[in-house]
Amino acid sequence: MPTPMAVTPHERVAGTDWAGLAQEMDAHGCALTGPILTGDECREIAGLYDEVSRFRSTIDMARFRFGRGQYRYFDRPFPHLVEQLRQAFYPRLLPIARDWATRLGRPAPWPDSLDEWLAMCHAAGQTRPTPILLRYRGGDWNALHRDLYGDLVFPLQIVIGLDRPGTDYDGGEFLLVEQRPRAQSRGTVTLLPQGHGLVFTTRDRPVASARGWSAAPVRHGVSTVRRGLRHTLGLVFHDAV
């Protein structure tokens, strides 16, 4: 008999195999979690998209040549599920972030709590919230990019699928492209199951080299949605200028 899902998203995040996920991150720069949200929770978050008052801004991707489609940045206060997920994920991602910084010989300025880290962002002038709700329809896509909103950057972020691939939409695979030292770029394609999260690198990741560790630049995007409606929740752990 299948094991029932834990009661809350916080417990589901805590129950993730983080050691295994860290190994996947080392190998590929991204890794899928198990189910973090139930179908009802996914529909609850996706249903917020039309409640415009919950968001600080709406971005039309075609207007800015980011691709085609639309996304919205949540304003404070965040919906309870969104805030719960941010607080649950941050301490689990922190050991990976610190380990990567050590390998690359970089500072690791991130404190133990998300609230402390965001206070540092705000003191540096990065005060605009960055949780994102994205909506793609047939023909929409997202160009390869990085979510860098200021000098202070948390090196990992998460996207959670809110709709059912193959049922609610076709296409719309998550794309990760890594620029390898003195080699052709490497692409990774991931189909996001409903309620599952994909952890991925924000800017770059450490790769072994003849001289120790090198930083491999990484960008991400979304392939063309061929049919249907695709929503995702994006969790970036630094605020924007």
Side-chain angles (χ1 to χ4, degrees), residues 12 32 36-49 55 72 74 79 81-82 85 131-136 158-165 167-169 172 191-198 229-235:
R12 296 169 209 149
L32 269 175
I36 299 298
L37 296 174
T38 66
D40 286 343
E41 289 165 341
C42 289
R43 287 184 286 274
E44 176 184 338
I45 295 175
L48 299 175
Y49 197 87
F55 302 91
R72 288 178 167 157
F74 279 103
L81 272 174
V82 174
L85 288 167
I132 311 169
L133 190 55
L134 303 100
R135 171 181 281 178
Y136 298 83
I158 296 170
V159 60
I160 299 175
L162 302 178
D163 295 302
R164 299 166 296 173
T167 300
D168 298 319
Y169 67 93
L191 196 61
L192 290 178
Q194 185 184 48
H196 294 237
L198 182 74
L229 188 62
R230 177 188 187 270
H231 294 90
T232 56
L233 172 67
L235 300 177

Side-chain angles (χ1 to χ4, degrees), residues 124-209:
Q126 295 177 212
T127 59
R128 294 190 296 167
T130 51
I132 311 169
L133 190 55
L134 303 100
R135 171 181 281 178
Y136 298 83
R137 301 183 186 276
D140 291 349
W141 56 283
N142 194 348
L144 295 173
H145 66 285
R146 294 166 169 167
D147 295 316
L148 305 176
Y149 300 120
D151 292 335
L152 297 183
V153 174
F154 192 76
L156 303 169
Q157 61 192 89
I158 296 170
V159 60
I160 299 175
L162 302 178
D163 295 302
R164 299 166 296 173
T167 300
D168 298 319
Y169 67 93
D170 293 318
E173 296 88 356
F174 184 90
L175 307 174
L176 198 75
V177 177
E178 175 182 305
Q179 182 180 329
R180 299 185 298 161
R182 297 176 298 281
Q184 299 279 354
S185 296
R186 180 180 76 167
T188 301
V189 176
T190 305
L191 196 61
L192 290 178
Q194 185 184 48
H196 294 237
L198 182 74
V199 183
F200 63 99
T201 179
T202 301
R203 177 172 54 193
D204 53 25
R205 74 179 189 93
V207 294
S209 68

Side-chain angles (χ1 to χ4, degrees), residues 21-30 100 178 186 188 205 207:
L21 188 142
Q23 292 178 350
E24 283 284 308
M25 293 294 295
D26 282 344
H28 306 294
C30 62
W100 282 14
E178 175 182 305
R186 180 180 76 167
T188 301
R205 74 179 189 93
V207 294

Side-chain angles (χ1 to χ4, degrees), residues 37-75:
L37 296 174
T38 66
D40 286 343
E41 289 165 341
C42 289
R43 287 184 286 274
E44 176 184 338
I45 295 175
L48 299 175
Y49 197 87
D50 293 321
E51 298 181 22
V52 180
S53 63
R54 289 184 174 272
F55 302 91
R56 67 171 176 85
S57 66
T58 298
I59 304 298
D60 185 313
M61 286 190 272
R63 177 185 174 190
F64 296 99
R65 301 179 66 86
F66 293 164
R68 199 179 99 174
Q70 194 180 80
Y71 58 87
R72 288 178 167 157
Y73 288 102
F74 279 103
D75 203 353

